[in-house]
Amino acid sequence: MKKLRWRLFLHFAAQFISVAVLMVIVILITLFTVIIFVAKDESKHNYYGTLLENITMETGNSIVNLTMNEGWDEGLDDEGVWVQIVDHNGKVIEEGNVPDSLPKQYSSHDLLKMKQTEQLNGYRLELYLETFYQDNYLFVLGYEDQANLVLNHIVQNYNVDGAITKGNIPLVEEKLKEIDGTLFIFNHHDEIKQQLGNNIDINKSEVLDVLVRDTAPDIYDRKVITHYDPDSDVFWALYTPNKEKQDIKLDTYLNVIIAFAITGVIVLLITVVISVWNGFRYGNPLFIFSNWLSRMGNEHYAEVLTERERKQIYRKNGKLKWRYRLYKEVFDAFYEMANRLDKSQKERARLEKTREEWMVGISHDLRTPLTTMEGYGRLLASGEYVWTEDELMDIGKTIHEKSDYMVNLIEDFNLSFKLKNDTGQIVYENMEINFLMQNILRKFHRDMTLRNYSILYRPTKDGHYLPINKRLFERMVDNLIYNSIQHNPNGTEIYVSVNYEGGIVEIIIQDNGLGIDEETRKHLFDRYYRGTNTDERIEGTGLGMSIALQIAKLHDGDIYVKSKENEGTRVILRFQSKLGGPKN
């Protein structure tokens, strides 16, 4: 599940990052589109000003000193403009398409005059002061303006004390006619001193138009070229038609609003699509999980997925479809849980059946000694018979044997329960295996009732120690030897040996008796299982082998049984050995 946690983390992180990147891309595209519209609209209002601003952005990567990218001046000739870049000392550090007549160094007076007149050597100027860098830089863009050339020519050749004489009026009118212009000469009272050229009315102009023309000259029907003559204190203004005239409209702002509205709709649609996609992607698996849990609640453990769900989740080659791979561990866990629950259900049913069989068997096992004891008790209590001393001794011996059997029966039940629930309270001590086995087998050799069975023992050569609980270990060996005695006829030979090889101690109990059929061998260690060929004379709980295996497991060992019918049985106990003396 740790892998699933990381996959979910990376999946959702990648998903949200992808959505964020997509949103940023949409917003950037919108902003880029808006910038293009605004720049395009701005160029309509002031073409040369916008052109100069674009040139100022063709700078290098330095953030200290201004450097221009290579090729920044390409296309200036096509635009009919020249550009100079002046540093804080007035020195021209970069220039493009510049006429030879222009200076390479400017004084403060020169720059102030250029700012006031917006002219230089007959060229109209656009100025931009860059203050981003450590030092300030002035961008100067110049272009030829026919109206400006005409005005300079008129002032230089026909100006007499701030006016045009009558003799020069026809010549001036001819020049103005060439450019379809109108010349106004204002005195210091802002009164029209003289007007030549086309008859136009300028009284309708607003006062702020003088400032607006500096920032957006291309929104007016006519351009204005001005000249101030300080000697005569007059102001010359030449009006010419503006062929690039554009009206101020709200289209740009409307386009911006529309662009952001479209962006909002796109973002909303993307959000809706992602939400629907996530709903199907994560909703379907949850729906499948809920169906599975419902089936588990109804104990339908064998059906993890319906046929329809299986086709929905898996490809024909058995692999998960891409959209369900995120939950691979979940589906695997479901199958594992379903298998466990199914096995548990089958085991529960098997145990229930075994319990019923055990109840029948235990009832039979208890009924036999109880019937015998009850019969003898009735006979003794009736007073109808006179019993001899030998008969009474036989009756007492029989009752004693049946009582011992019932006590052993109950002890088996108690031991089986304790081994299953109280293993933490068992105490072990290191014991030498040969010495222990000899002590266990001694009671079999002394038991006169077993004189019809031959029990032989062969110890290992070296002393090997095991951590052992003596009482439980002896009970385990007793059970295995008694099995060979109880389930085989008189004359059966039983061989007990201890072997050591590769750090493993083996205790082998082998007989040449009747052997065990395959079905019984498969269920030999099942609790309460008593075999298929159990003779009625043989009494037992069906717990002997199960208890022996439990004890072996408690000693970190195991039991293996090899047997064939009529060929005897070989039982092998295997434990890890510790060579040397006892260690407390």
Side-chain angles (χ1 to χ4, degrees), residues 200-263:
I200 62 173
D201 186 6
I202 63 171
N203 293 328
K204 296 179 180 179
S205 299
E206 299 290 342
V207 176
L208 289 179
D209 284 357
V210 178
L211 300 177
V212 175
R213 285 180 185 276
D214 289 337
T215 57
D218 295 336
I219 66 174
Y220 293 91
D221 293 329
R222 291 182 176 273
K223 292 182 178 181
V224 179
I225 307 299
T226 61
H227 173 76
Y228 175 67
D229 185 359
D231 296 332
S232 56
D233 194 20
V234 297
F235 185 78
W236 300 61
L238 175 60
Y239 286 78
T240 57
N242 186 5
K243 298 179 180 179
E244 298 176 356
K245 184 261 180 182
Q246 298 288 339
D247 294 332
I248 294 181
K249 298 180 181 179
L250 295 177
D251 292 349
T252 299
Y253 304 102
L254 183 60
N255 289 335
V256 171
I257 295 174
I258 292 174
F260 278 104
I262 293 174
T263 302

Side-chain angles (χ1 to χ4, degrees), residues 14 52 162 183 200 209 230 240 259 330 340 434 437 454 484 487 577:
L52 182 60
L183 178 63
I200 62 173
D209 284 357
T240 57
V330 178
R340 289 183 178 180
N434 284 327
M437 289 299 297
S454 175
S484 295
H487 295 281
S577 170

Side-chain angles (χ1 to χ4, degrees), residues 286-514:
L286 293 177
F287 182 71
I288 292 172
F289 298 156
S290 65
N291 287 341
W292 181 85
L293 291 173
S294 176
R295 287 191 289 272
M296 295 303 100
N298 294 326
E299 297 186 354
H300 298 162
Y301 304 130
E303 188 181 18
V304 179
L305 298 173
T306 63
E307 188 62 29
R308 180 180 178 183
E309 290 172 343
R310 183 179 295 277
K311 291 180 179 179
Q312 181 181 349
I313 296 172
Y314 290 94
R315 303 177 188 271
K316 292 183 179 180
N317 58 6
K319 293 184 178 180
L320 281 171
K321 292 183 179 179
W322 179 80
R323 62 178 177 272
Y324 292 102
R325 289 180 185 176
L326 182 64
Y327 303 99
K328 180 180 182 302
E329 286 81 5
V330 178
F331 284 113
D332 291 343
F334 274 5
Y335 272 103
E336 183 179 356
M337 186 184 300
N339 288 333
R340 289 183 178 180
L341 291 173
D342 188 44
K343 288 180 180 179
S344 176
Q345 186 183 45
K346 292 177 179 177
E347 179 66 15
R348 197 163 59 244
R350 188 187 68 81
L351 288 176
E352 185 64 29
K353 181 179 179 182
T354 303
R355 188 178 295 108
E356 291 176 0
E357 293 175 352
W358 172 78
M359 290 298 294
V360 173
I362 201 67
S363 298
H364 174 270
D365 289 340
L366 289 174
R367 186 183 299 111
T368 301
L370 284 174
T371 301
T372 301
M373 295 170 66
E374 181 186 17
Y376 280 124
R378 288 180 181 277
L379 288 174
L380 292 173
S382 65
E384 297 178 1
Y385 302 95
V386 178
W387 304 97
T388 66
E389 184 176 350
D390 290 338
E391 288 176 333
L392 289 175
M393 290 181 62
D394 287 340
I395 293 173
K397 183 179 179 182
T398 301
I399 293 174
H400 183 265
E401 289 175 351
K402 297 303 180 183
S403 298
D404 285 344
Y405 169 74
M406 294 177 67
V407 169
N408 290 333
L409 191 66
I410 296 172
E411 284 182 353
D412 276 351
F413 297 151
N414 291 337
L415 181 59
S416 177
F417 178 81
K418 177 175 278 191
L419 291 175
K420 189 174 181 181
N421 298 281
D422 296 333
T423 57
Q425 300 179 5
I426 298 176
V427 179
Y428 301 88
E429 59 178 319
N430 280 350
M431 301 188 68
E432 202 275 317
I433 192 65
N434 284 327
F435 178 76
L436 177 64
M437 289 299 297
Q438 288 170 355
N439 285 336
I440 293 174
L441 294 176
R442 189 173 289 116
K443 64 174 174 288
F444 290 97
H445 293 148
R446 291 199 303 260
D447 192 339
M448 299 301 294
T449 62
L450 302 178
R451 60 182 177 272
N452 294 325
Y453 295 88
S454 175
I455 301 177
L456 304 176
Y457 174 64
R458 183 174 61 84
T460 183
K461 295 180 180 180
D462 299 321
H464 297 277
Y465 287 79
L466 296 176
I468 288 173
N469 180 283
K470 184 176 181 300
R471 184 177 61 84
L472 293 179
F473 199 90
E474 183 175 355
R475 181 60 179 271
M476 173 183 67
V477 176
D478 285 353
N479 282 359
L480 296 176
I481 294 177
Y482 275 121
N483 269 349
S484 295
I485 294 173
Q486 292 176 352
H487 295 281
N488 289 301
N490 293 334
T492 300
E493 296 180 348
I494 301 171
Y495 304 92
V496 181
S497 61
V498 178
N499 297 331
Y500 174 81
E501 184 176 355
I504 302 296
V505 172
E506 287 188 346
I507 300 174
I508 303 171
I509 302 172
Q510 184 173 353
D511 64 60
N512 61 353
L514 300 176

Side-chain angles (χ1 to χ4, degrees), residues 473 475-477 479-480 483 507-509 521 524-525 544-554 556-562 569-575:
F473 199 90
R475 181 60 179 271
M476 173 183 67
V477 176
N479 282 359
L480 296 176
N483 269 349
I507 300 174
I508 303 171
I509 302 172
R521 192 178 65 81
L524 196 58
F525 296 103
M545 292 300 290
S546 174
I547 290 173
L549 180 60
Q550 286 178 280
I551 295 174
K553 295 289 185 182
L554 290 175
D556 294 327
D558 209 339
I559 300 179
Y560 304 90
V561 177
K562 297 179 181 180
T569 301
R570 181 183 177 91
V571 180
I572 304 171
L573 293 90
R574 289 179 181 170
F575 306 93

Side-chain angles (χ1 to χ4, degrees), residues 112-143:
L112 183 60
K113 183 178 179 182
M114 289 164 59
K115 181 178 182 302
Q116 291 177 344
T117 63
E118 296 184 351
Q119 298 181 35
L120 177 64
N121 292 359
Y123 292 96
R124 292 279 290 174
L125 301 179
E126 284 286 345
L127 305 177
Y128 179 84
L129 183 64
E130 178 61 78
T131 60
F132 173 79
Y133 301 94
Q134 184 175 358
D135 297 321
N136 297 329
Y137 296 89
L138 179 67
F139 285 75
V140 182
L141 181 145
Y143 59 94

